[in-house]
Amino acid sequence: MTPSASPVATTHAAPLFELDRATVVRGATRVLHDLSLRIPLGQHTALLGPNGGGKSTFIKLINRELYPLAREGDAPVKVFGLRRWNVNELRNRLGVVTSDLTRDLQQMPYLRAEDAVVTGFFSSFMVPPHRQVDEGMRRRARRALDDVRALSLADRPVAELSTGEMRRVLIARALVHEPEALLLDEPTAGLDVVARQHFLALMRTLAQRGITLVLVTHHIEEIIPEIDRVLLLRDGVLHADGDRAATLTDAHLSHAFGGPVRVRHEGGFYRAEPDHA
């Protein structure tokens, strides 16, 4: 995200995310087609779809790495009701954890886990030369690590962390501002079976604490029971939008993923497998 002009006024009644006929073109390819959606604060939501369906483009719109096509009328993309936002103000309300952040952290192998969390105050994995890290920041960083059951990692270099441990550190980094919402991009990618279950339990804990979760994924197994709305995206178009039971069906997923899929529901979780019948 990049700093911009002062944001227009808003209230807490504004949606967390709002896209109004947002269209994105990359090269000669239209990757989002007049996409309209509205995610209220407080509604845990999953954005589900196959690779190449437009999920990453949605995240880049929120991060301001991409911009929608300009058109007359209201802004195509708003966050907390703002069409323009300052990164220093937005990060106090919205935490973002993406695969790009994982790669960035891996480039800082000698950084201690606690220091990695502290850098969340500066929107960089480095402390700017003109800024100081005070004890209050360190207390908040340790509290965030404790919140995700990673306080024992505080003094370890990130190079020594497993993928699951690194993911917890990144969540702590996002939580250091005590945000109202978290945007999570494929959070269990690269995790083994045990680490994946631990991470899903962490997601449930965060949701139950009242932090709004927006999960972007192509795995329905990641959609925890607390997530009550699923948006199904394919080829940059919204194909379904509803509660989990209405959206996670054989028909919807078979259409979205381009082949016969059978959906199973057990213990509050959904699972999908190819239907070879």
Side-chain angles (χ1 to χ4, degrees):
M1 297 184 199
T2 55
S4 64
S6 298
V8 294
T10 188
T11 68
H12 285 278
L16 170 56
F17 300 136
E18 188 170 13
L19 272 61
D20 178 19
R21 294 169 291 144
T23 295
V24 175
V25 175
R26 303 183 73 175
T29 304
R30 183 168 292 215
V31 291
L32 283 186
H33 302 262
D34 291 329
L35 182 63
S36 293
L37 60 87
R38 194 173 189 269
I39 300 177
L41 190 65
Q43 183 178 61
H44 305 304
T45 301
L47 185 65
L48 176 70
N51 291 329
K55 305 186 305 299
S56 295
T57 301
F58 167 80
I59 293 172
K60 291 180 185 298
L61 282 177
I62 302 302
N63 278 345
R64 293 211 152 189
E65 296 175 48
L66 289 175
Y67 290 84
L69 291 181
R71 59 171 172 75
E72 294 185 2
D74 206 355
V77 180
K78 292 181 182 179
V79 180
F80 287 112
L82 309 179
R83 62 175 177 269
R84 298 177 296 168
W85 53 89
N86 182 293
V87 62
N88 294 322
E89 297 173 1
L90 182 63
R91 70 186 179 195
N92 291 324
R93 303 185 66 186
L94 174 65
V96 179
V97 178
T98 68
S99 55
D100 289 344
L101 286 176
T102 302
R103 288 194 296 269
D104 291 344
L105 185 57
Q106 289 170 335
Q107 300 303 311
M108 311 289 290
Y110 301 108
L111 193 68
R112 293 187 315 130
E114 181 183 313
D115 294 329
V117 176
V118 167
T119 64
F121 290 104
F122 308 105
S123 295
S124 165
F125 282 113
M126 299 180 65
V127 177
H130 62 285
R131 300 293 300 274
Q132 295 289 327
V133 175
D134 58 38
E135 185 54 35
M137 291 178 179
R138 294 212 171 271
R139 280 197 302 271
R140 289 170 66 179
R142 289 191 289 269
R143 184 167 65 240
L145 283 167
D146 193 37
D147 284 345
V148 299
R149 298 183 181 179
L151 186 57
S152 62
L153 305 177
D155 292 323
R156 288 177 57 187
V158 297
E160 297 180 2
L161 303 182
S162 68
T163 303
E165 290 169 338
M166 191 174 297
R167 208 65 51 82
R168 284 180 178 266
V169 169
L170 286 172
I171 291 285
R173 185 176 183 269
L175 291 176
V176 78
H177 290 286
E178 300 179 353
E180 299 168 68
L182 281 177
L183 175 61
L184 303 170
D185 176 26
E186 305 285 358
T188 68
L191 301 189
D192 61 35
V193 173
V194 174
R196 180 175 169 274
Q197 290 305 116
H198 288 164
F199 199 88
L200 292 178
L202 171 60
M203 287 173 58
R204 299 194 69 179
T205 298
L206 296 174
Q208 291 162 10
R209 281 175 45 189
I211 298 173
T212 302
L213 300 184
V214 178
L215 170 68
V216 179
T217 184
H218 62 274
H219 295 296
I220 72 169
E221 295 85 357
E222 293 181 354
I223 301 176
I224 57 175
E226 287 73 14
I227 290 177
D228 49 9
R229 180 185 179 194
V230 179
L231 307 170
L232 195 54
L233 194 65
R234 178 183 175 178
D235 297 330
V237 175
L238 193 61
H239 282 275
D241 177 0
D243 62 30
R244 297 192 312 155
T247 306
L248 299 178
T249 66
D250 295 359
H252 280 316
L253 293 189
S254 296
H255 177 72
F257 287 90
V261 173
R262 178 176 296 176
V263 178
R264 301 183 185 278
H265 178 224
E266 182 180 356
F269 285 87
Y270 286 79
R271 288 172 173 75
E273 57 188 31
D275 188 356
H276 299 297

